[in-house]
Amino acid sequence: MDRNKIDFSDISTVEEKLVKRQVIFEGKVLRLEKDDITLPDGRPAIREVIRHHGAVAVVPIDGNGRVICVRQFRYPYREILLEIPAGKLEPGEDDHEAAARRELREETGAIPGKMTYLGKFYSSAAILDEIIHVYLAEDLSWGDTDPDDDEFLDVTAIPMDELCNMIARGEVPDGKTQASVMKAAYILNNRK
């Protein structure tokens, strides 16, 4: 197979074929699989894939143009990260907007009057099948927070321009927050 002549308009010419799957680990949030596959040129290879139920994330903008964010300790990195509100979907949960509204209220107390779907975000396409559905939340009112029992959050409001500058300076390493905030800023700037 000549790699320079692969037709990427036809998935069948590049699709990797599953030969055998082995479940390595099954936990509460994820499953790790080891797949023996066949590459497009017929050679064997191995793919390790983390399966996840998916998630939602929200860029909430208050009436003063500030993004409502949360700070929380993230165990894998041993750091406190600044992030937009987000949470995992339950298995089979298909109403992504309702899940986004729930996570936003639970984490920040914000209740959106208007939600706009911004699209989906792939966290780490080479190894993880998690899809994060991202929303822009506007016309916020406020109620009580109700974080999960294992969540310890600090809610903060940051002006959109300042948050974009923080992202550009490398001060916000969370990928979903970077992409979602920059996309929301682009959309909001183009409304004017």
Side-chain angles (χ1 to χ4, degrees):
M1 167 180 269
D2 184 350
R3 290 174 189 248
N4 296 324
K5 295 186 179 177
I6 294 174
D7 179 8
F8 280 90
S9 67
D10 179 4
I11 193 170
S12 69
T13 66
V14 292
E15 187 174 17
E16 301 172 348
K17 306 284 191 239
L18 175 66
V19 176
K20 183 177 90 177
R21 171 167 292 148
Q22 178 184 3
V23 176
I24 304 297
F25 172 79
E26 181 126 23
K28 185 174 122 180
V29 176
L30 59 88
R31 183 176 73 226
L32 173 60
E33 299 172 350
K34 178 183 171 231
D35 290 354
D36 294 319
I37 59 119
T38 303
L39 296 170
D41 64 3
R43 292 180 296 138
I46 292 174
R47 297 289 183 251
E48 295 172 342
V49 180
I50 300 166
R51 304 287 179 190
H52 187 278
H53 297 296
V56 292
V58 185
V59 181
I61 307 290
D62 72 9
N64 296 315
R66 299 176 305 175
V67 181
I68 309 305
C69 296
V70 295
R71 284 189 175 91
Q72 61 185 316
F73 177 80
R74 288 301 194 178
Y75 183 82
Y77 303 104
R78 313 289 304 161
E79 293 179 27
I80 296 171
L81 296 184
L82 179 70
E83 304 175 43
I84 56 174
K88 68 182 182 308
L89 295 169
E90 297 303 323
E93 186 173 22
D94 293 328
D95 190 341
H96 303 141
E97 182 177 327
R101 287 175 178 276
R102 176 191 69 233
E103 290 296 329
L104 178 60
R105 188 199 53 77
E106 287 178 358
E107 292 188 3
T108 69
I111 302 162
K114 178 181 178 185
M115 293 281 275
T116 305
Y117 186 63
L118 298 182
K120 56 189 177 180
F121 177 81
Y122 294 168
S123 304
S124 185
I127 62 167
L128 176 63
D129 76 348
E130 177 186 43
I131 298 172
I132 301 175
H133 297 275
V134 182
Y135 290 84
L136 172 64
E138 299 172 277
D139 302 329
L140 304 180
S141 59
W142 299 95
D144 294 328
T145 63
D146 185 22
D148 293 340
D149 288 341
D150 63 350
E151 283 184 313
F152 299 88
L153 305 170
D154 175 40
V155 179
T156 185
I158 302 172
M160 176 64 87
D161 288 345
E162 181 181 334
L163 185 54
C164 288
N165 287 332
M166 291 170 68
I167 290 168
R169 290 191 304 263
E171 297 170 12
V172 181
D174 180 60
K176 74 179 177 307
T177 299
Q178 290 179 7
S180 301
V181 167
M182 298 306 270
K183 187 170 187 178
Y186 176 82
I187 288 169
L188 292 169
N189 285 336
N190 282 304
R191 279 188 190 167
K192 297 176 183 177

